[in-house]
Each structure stands twice: as structure tokens, then as C-alpha cells.
Amino acid sequence: MPVGTSNTSPPSHIVTTGAIVVSGPVGASDGEPAEMAYTAYGHPCAPIHLLAVHGLFDDQATWAQLLPHLQQDLYVVTIDLLGNGSSGCPHLNHLPKDERYSADFHVHSLRQAIAALGLRDLVLLGSSLGGGIILRMLCTPWPERPSIRGLILEDAAGYPAQLPPQMQQLIQWPGQLLLYSPVRWLLRV
């Protein structure tokens, strides 16, 4: 369920921030649910909902320059993928290494977020890794899929084969350093 607070900024938009609890194959090393941070702009009764998913090593701030240019009658949700931004960074020790933070892992958590937020008549917007995850989400069975009204891909990543070696390294111990708060803090400076 989404949890959050509301304020108005800019005045014509309702802005809600919060976190969605996701479970299943996601969670901390002890299997506890993790939280995905999101910000929603507009009113959920809007005719079109837009979900924006950022790229690798990024967060929902990616969309800050775009938001003022969107139509006022949209309900826009920007989300931080797990392991990024203000979302949780579960260790995922209960999963095999090749499944930790995989595309399927993110697909599962995004589908839970879409359901928890009640998104419908959906336009999906993805940048880089976010675009690849959205493509994977649409190309795999999704029994409870909401109505999809559009797809916008910006430099979408799609890896039908093995990831390049530098990306594989992120799954190993160097990438696991990113799970530690002091390292993440240093990288933001």
C-alpha cells in the first residue's frame, strides 16, 4: 500500500511522496519486504497515468526537467527502482547472485508498484535501464496488466545476451559496495 504525505507545489498540481511496500522475491537478506520510493504529480482521477522509470545509477530526479512540460491532465508517477535513490537497498542474499537486481527482479517490483498505486490507462516512460525493464515487463506474461496507452523509450537498454563484463562486475563485490550508505554518500558528493 502506498504511504505518503501531500502538499501543493506547483499550485496546479497535487504532489504526493511516499513508499510502496513490495514483497515476494524482493526484500532484505532476511526476506523482509522492501520499500520503493515514488512521487506522484496530479490527481489519480486523471484520464491518463504516466509511470517514469529512470536508468542505471540514477533516480527519479532524472525527470525533474521534463515534469513542467507535461500536460496538466496527467497523473505522473516517478519511481526509484530498488537499490537507487530513496528506495530500499535490500542485500537479497536469499537469491542467487545472477537474480539479484536483474531485469526480472525489477519487473516484479514495478508490477507490484503499479498495482499498489492503482495505475491504469498507462503510458510507460523509460530511460536507459528503465526502458529495458519496461520492455521486459511488456514482453513477459502479465495476467493483471492494466490498459497500456503508450510507450516512450529514451535510449532503452535491451540485453538479449550476456551483460558486458563491466556490468557483470557490478553484480560481484565491487557493485555490492554500493549497498553501504557511506559509499553511496561519497558517490553523491
Side-chain angles (χ1 to χ4, degrees):
M1 289 212 99
V3 182
T5 58
S6 296
N7 61 27
T8 53
S9 174
S12 62
H13 277 48
I14 299 169
V15 179
T16 306
T17 58
I20 304 152
V21 176
V22 291
S23 58
V26 300
S29 56
D30 58 2
E32 291 296 315
E35 290 187 345
M36 290 181 74
Y38 73 93
T39 306
Y41 303 86
H43 198 280
C45 292
I48 302 288
H49 294 181
L50 184 141
L51 175 66
V53 183
H54 62 79
L56 186 65
F57 300 125
D58 216 341
D59 60 26
Q60 59 182 303
T62 295
W63 309 110
Q65 299 295 318
L66 175 67
L67 291 171
H69 303 285
L70 296 176
Q71 290 178 286
Q72 299 291 320
D73 61 344
L74 290 175
Y75 180 58
V76 179
V77 176
T78 60
I79 198 158
D80 284 334
L81 293 170
L82 287 170
N84 294 274
S86 298
S87 287
C89 293
H91 290 106
L92 306 172
N93 293 332
H94 62 287
L95 293 176
K97 285 187 179 183
D98 63 338
E99 292 179 23
R100 298 176 191 169
Y101 294 100
S102 67
D104 288 332
F105 167 85
H106 287 299
V107 164
H108 179 80
S109 58
L110 272 179
R111 286 178 177 169
Q112 285 191 37
I114 289 168
L117 291 168
L119 299 180
R120 54 175 173 66
D121 295 317
L122 197 53
V123 173
L124 297 167
L125 167 61
S127 171
S128 187
L129 176 68
I133 291 167
I134 286 172
L135 280 173
R136 178 82 176 158
M137 186 166 57
L138 292 174
C139 293
T140 54
W142 187 2
E144 303 296 322
R145 185 176 80 181
S147 173
I148 305 296
R149 301 284 298 269
L151 175 64
I152 304 167
L153 302 174
E154 176 202 9
D155 256 349
Y159 290 101
Q162 284 281 52
L163 288 173
Q166 65 272 28
M167 298 299 286
Q168 289 180 6
Q169 284 296 315
L170 293 174
I171 298 170
Q172 315 240 337
W173 73 267
Q176 291 180 7
L177 288 173
L178 297 173
L179 296 173
Y180 298 101
S181 297
V183 173
R184 289 177 58 163
W185 181 83
L186 285 172
L187 292 173
R188 290 178 185 256
V189 176

